[in-house]
Amino acid sequence: MAIALAIVGVLALATAVFAATSRHGHSAEPAPSKFEGSLIPKGVRAPDFDLRDQDGRPISMRALRGKPVIVAFLYTTCRDTCPAQANQVRGALDDLGHDVPAIAVAVDPPRDTPESARAFLSHTHTLGRIDFVLGSRRQLRPLWKGFAVAPQLPSVEHQSRITLVDRHGFQRIGFPGSEVTPERLAHDVRLLESES
């Protein structure tokens, strides 16, 4: 009997709280996100690195601070999903009307070489707009882990995903490869650019 009364009391309290929040226009549901992509939990910093790009120039995440960064995960011998993703990034940059830093983290070393990266970027018309982050499997493993992506393996396709990093170096938005469009990507970059 006491258990039944306790349950009735809890239900009555829950009903009262729900009614009170409804009267004041508050909802138990979180406010919808203004972003098109999926929100990444707060405080997830993008992994830093000191590597080289397709032209042998040093590249690091900390050197890109101050602007949003588009991060894709590609391999240079891919003929379907990776060129499509590179074209989504190019389309977003076109839609923005200006470039922001865009990097492609290699997921298939040692086949991802400076020569193959330049050929891939040339083929996708993204040379000068996307920089490949190249290195050995050992050098790239902390990036894959930090961005929570699996690399390309002989029997397993890598994860197709784009991550947006804010100007302070935090991962903010994620797009599965199947859900990204140039318009959605550009929309979220604009929102990140407008933040103080």
Side-chain angles (χ1 to χ4, degrees):
M1 181 72 166
I3 294 174
L5 285 174
I7 292 172
V8 169
V10 169
L11 290 174
L13 179 62
T15 303
V17 169
F18 177 75
T21 57
S22 296
R23 276 196 307 270
H24 297 295
H26 299 296
S27 168
E29 294 291 319
S33 171
K34 58 189 176 182
F35 290 98
E36 295 283 331
S38 300
L39 295 177
I40 294 173
K42 289 185 179 184
V44 179
R45 188 166 286 285
D48 200 12
F49 54 86
D50 286 296
L51 294 171
R52 300 274 171 177
D53 71 9
Q54 68 281 351
D55 296 316
R57 295 177 303 219
I59 186 167
S60 70
M61 186 58 73
R62 71 184 162 280
L64 302 174
R65 295 252 172 90
K67 292 182 178 181
V69 181
I70 300 171
V71 184
F73 305 90
L74 309 176
Y75 67 99
T76 59
T77 58
C78 178
R79 294 294 169 249
D80 43 42
T81 58
C82 296
Q85 266 196 307
N87 284 316
Q88 299 285 11
V89 172
R90 184 183 56 156
L93 297 175
D94 290 345
D95 194 48
L96 281 169
H98 62 276
D99 284 358
V100 297
I103 61 173
V105 176
V107 293
D108 192 23
R111 294 194 303 166
D112 291 332
T113 65
E115 296 76 20
S116 66
R118 284 192 299 272
F120 177 92
L121 295 171
S122 179
H123 175 74
T124 57
H125 308 287
T126 53
L127 195 59
R129 302 187 84 186
I130 297 176
D131 286 317
F132 249 99
V133 178
L134 301 171
S136 67
R137 195 164 277 277
R138 181 186 59 78
Q139 290 170 316
L140 291 166
R141 192 171 291 119
L143 277 74
W144 302 332
K145 183 177 179 184
F147 283 108
V149 298
Q152 182 71 14
L153 297 171
S155 58
V156 180
E157 182 71 15
H158 78 292
Q159 290 171 297
S160 176
R161 194 172 105 200
I162 292 178
T163 299
L164 296 182
V165 175
D166 70 16
R167 69 180 69 216
H168 304 292
F170 290 97
Q171 298 181 52
R172 292 286 299 283
I173 308 297
F175 285 95
S178 60
E179 294 179 16
V180 69
T181 66
E183 296 78 17
R184 294 180 78 203
L185 197 54
H187 173 271
D188 285 4
V189 170
R190 279 191 197 96
L191 289 178
L192 291 176
E193 286 181 317
S194 71
E195 293 179 347
S196 55

